[in-house]
Amino acid sequence: MTAGARRFPFFEEVPAPAGGEGWESMYPYYLVPAAETREQEQGRLWFADTMHWSRGCYPLGSVIAEAAYLGAGQNSTRIFALPGSLGLDLRVQHGYVYIAPVPVTDPAEVARRTELFQARAGHYYRNWDELYERWKNAVQGLVEDMRGVRFPALPEFEPMETVTEARGRSAGWQLLADFRRVIDDLFLVWQRHFEFLNLGYGGYIVFFQFCRQAFPEIPDQVIARMVAGIDVIAFRPDDELRRLARLACELGVDDLVDGTDVDRSRAALAGTEPGRAWLAAYEKAQDPWFSYFAEYGFTHDQDTWLSNPSIPMTGIARYVARLREGAEIDRPVARLRAERDELVAEYRALLTEEEAAQFDDLLHLARTVFPYIEEHNIYVEHWAHAVFWDRMRELGDFLVTSGFAEAGDDVFYLHRFELEQVLNDVAQSWAIGVPPRGAGRWAAEVRRRRGVVAALREAAPEPAYGTPPETITDPFAIMNYGITDEQVAAWLGRSGPDAGELTGIGGSPGVVEGPVRVLRSERLLDRLRPGEILVCPITAPSWGPAFSVAGGVITDIGGLMSHAAIVCREYGLPAVVGTGAATTTLRTGDRVRLDGRTGAVTVLERAPAVAT
């Protein structure tokens, strides 16, 4: 922040970290701050999207940022005409992704857009189930289309069928077409992502606003609990871990399931008939439920449960331990549904007959759209991203085979337009049998960029840049990212890492005291002990096993509709989300009091400074 002014630094005021100089050239020009757009950039609030790019963005990874926020903007602004929001502007600064809500402030324009929105969104709300089924088929089709693309080495001669079938095209042309096809599919997946997401938020927000107006004292979490008890495939991977834990106990091989040495565990299981039966069940569960990123797959270097089987095996072993203790490992769905029905009846009884009818309609809409908010992650962030990155790795291997790259991962140091230039160079030179013209040029540039990316990733991002508005109104920023007036004030006035209290958003009700466990990655989940309060940047669906162990959850990022908040309500765990800096303020072993109703986290006792 800047002294004496209620604003964050401007982009141009913060120098790149040592070694990161020249980072701007790694991204398309329209993604980086520029002098000609400086006034516009200074006047907006840009907050770091570390929910999705927690460790910064490689040059090729910027394509997902482009795809995501193009989808968000087009659906908000041009297709559904959200009344108060034009979407999110995008910049990359020092390798991190920053976004800025673009509001509609003119009341007349809001009114004009409201009329359009009601007609367009109303069509989706009336036909939600049918359209959502079509959505699933469309997204799965795009994922399968990407899966079907291959990047084989270019042949010396085209196969004879090229002549006998009069194909009229070559492998070189197909290389370019297939690259564009994968990129196009990625963009279309993200168009689909926001086709429903803003409407999902919108349906919930309308119900939320009705409740706040009808019941002025109602806590936000109580409104959220009225739509709890959902059953969506987002919970299926964690359900599979629980099922496999029970099966291990039933087959008597529970002592052989070990996430710390997967190879040894597999070998031991393969040595017995019950163990082989369990391994068969494990293999069957993998497709598609373990095609699951440790985070959300926005960068190529994140593990999936398939690439790192210690993640699911650790989760299964943890559930086995809980079963041995006699603990209940299922989500308390029946209890949550009973509680929500009781809450609904209690508040509904306070309304007039006419108000109650409106309440019923809005509650039905909220419960109809709510599952998408959590479920879409499986289709887009996990399944689509996993296939996209697999294709890009294959393309990297192709460049090595073609003599253009020194290592397969060179491909991640080029942005998408540079990569298309490289492929054109390869195809052009292959066509006439001469060496590619840019191999040496790009090899030198990739070596330079490796150092730049490493330097940028060593530096923590600024939480925000620019000038905050008087009031944060963008529903997406509030509900998903937890960017509220209070959060901005906390960032501007943070008193330092020894602050005795953190403030976030009450994500799930309940008060709990206990020691914290700071974990920056799902790969460290085996360190979490029963009853500890999990402190992490964000959670993703693949953090599922943590929710049956933790006593509560605190996150840096997130709002009332973030994954951590939704899942904690489903597990009946107290949670405070969107604290901004819990992982850097708290230390493992600190004792805290977490109040999931008020959003306060109070440090009761400091632990000695040790590595977490």
Side-chain angles (χ1 to χ4, degrees), residues 3-268:
R6 189 184 178 276
R7 71 167 176 85
F8 296 96
F10 295 141
F11 286 127
E12 67 276 12
E13 293 176 341
V14 179
E21 297 84 358
W23 62 271
E24 299 91 338
S25 65
M26 301 193 304
Y27 305 97
Y29 75 89
Y30 51 86
L31 295 186
V32 301
E36 63 187 286
T37 52
R38 184 164 293 168
E39 183 176 349
Q40 169 189 320
E41 289 159 355
Q42 290 179 349
R44 288 184 181 156
L45 169 65
W46 302 86
F47 60 88
D49 186 358
T50 47
M51 175 183 291
H52 299 116
W53 289 272
S54 61
R55 295 183 296 279
C57 180
Y58 282 77
L60 184 54
S62 65
V63 68
I64 295 186
E66 284 190 75
Y69 291 111
L70 178 65
Q74 288 185 174
N75 278 285
S76 297
T77 307
R78 307 296 178 185
I79 297 176
F80 290 105
L82 290 186
S85 174
L86 296 179
L88 298 158
D89 206 353
L90 167 67
R91 293 292 186 277
V92 175
Q93 166 81 343
H94 299 165
Y96 287 90
V97 171
Y98 286 82
I99 49 181
V102 183
V104 181
T105 56
D106 179 0
E109 180 62 11
V110 170
R112 188 173 77 97
R113 294 175 64 84
T114 297
E115 189 173 341
L116 293 169
F117 176 76
Q118 288 175 340
R120 297 174 183 215
H123 174 74
Y124 270 67
Y125 290 147
R126 287 190 300 274
N127 301 283
W128 187 271
D129 291 341
E130 177 194 345
L131 294 174
Y132 188 26
E133 286 304 311
R134 285 164 55 179
W135 183 95
K136 292 175 185 176
N137 291 331
V139 173
Q140 286 176 318
L142 290 166
V143 172
E144 289 308 310
D145 193 60
M146 277 196 283
R147 199 189 304 277
V149 172
R150 288 291 181 271
F151 296 106
L154 296 176
E156 180 181 9
F157 297 105
E158 291 288 337
M160 189 61 186
E161 289 77 8
T162 303
V163 177
T164 58
E165 296 175 5
R167 293 176 179 173
R169 61 182 63 178
S170 72
W173 178 89
Q174 194 64 47
L175 166 69
L176 302 175
D178 284 343
F179 172 71
R180 290 192 292 265
R181 178 175 154 195
V182 173
I183 297 295
D184 286 349
D185 284 345
L186 176 72
F187 271 78
L188 287 170
V189 163
W190 274 98
Q191 296 281 298
R192 291 287 185 176
H193 177 285
F194 282 100
E195 177 190 4
F196 274 73
L197 187 60
N198 287 347
L199 298 179
Y201 282 123
Y204 178 79
I205 288 169
V206 171
F207 174 66
F208 183 88
Q209 290 172 336
F210 175 90
C211 290
R212 292 300 299 270
Q213 186 172 1
F215 320 113
E217 302 298 323
I218 191 171
D220 294 351
Q221 299 93 339
V222 169
I223 305 172
R225 288 167 65 193
M226 291 184 187
V227 296
I230 59 175
D231 185 17
V232 295
I233 64 169
F235 296 122
R236 181 66 181 273
D238 193 38
D239 291 343
E240 290 295 319
L241 302 188
R242 283 193 287 264
R243 185 180 67 79
L244 288 165
R246 285 197 183 86
L247 182 61
C249 293
E250 290 167 8
L251 294 173
V253 297
D254 47 301
D255 58 333
L256 301 180
V257 177
D258 179 9
T260 59
D261 190 336
V262 173
D263 291 340
R264 186 177 64 182
S265 179
R266 284 178 179 273

Side-chain angles (χ1 to χ4, degrees), residues 512-533:
V512 64
E513 293 183 6
V516 306
R517 176 70 63 177
V518 180
L519 300 178
R520 297 181 184 280
S521 166
E522 178 195 79
R523 283 173 286 187
L524 304 175
L525 272 180
D526 62 318
R527 299 181 184 180
L528 183 66
R529 297 292 174 263
E532 288 184 332
I533 295 173

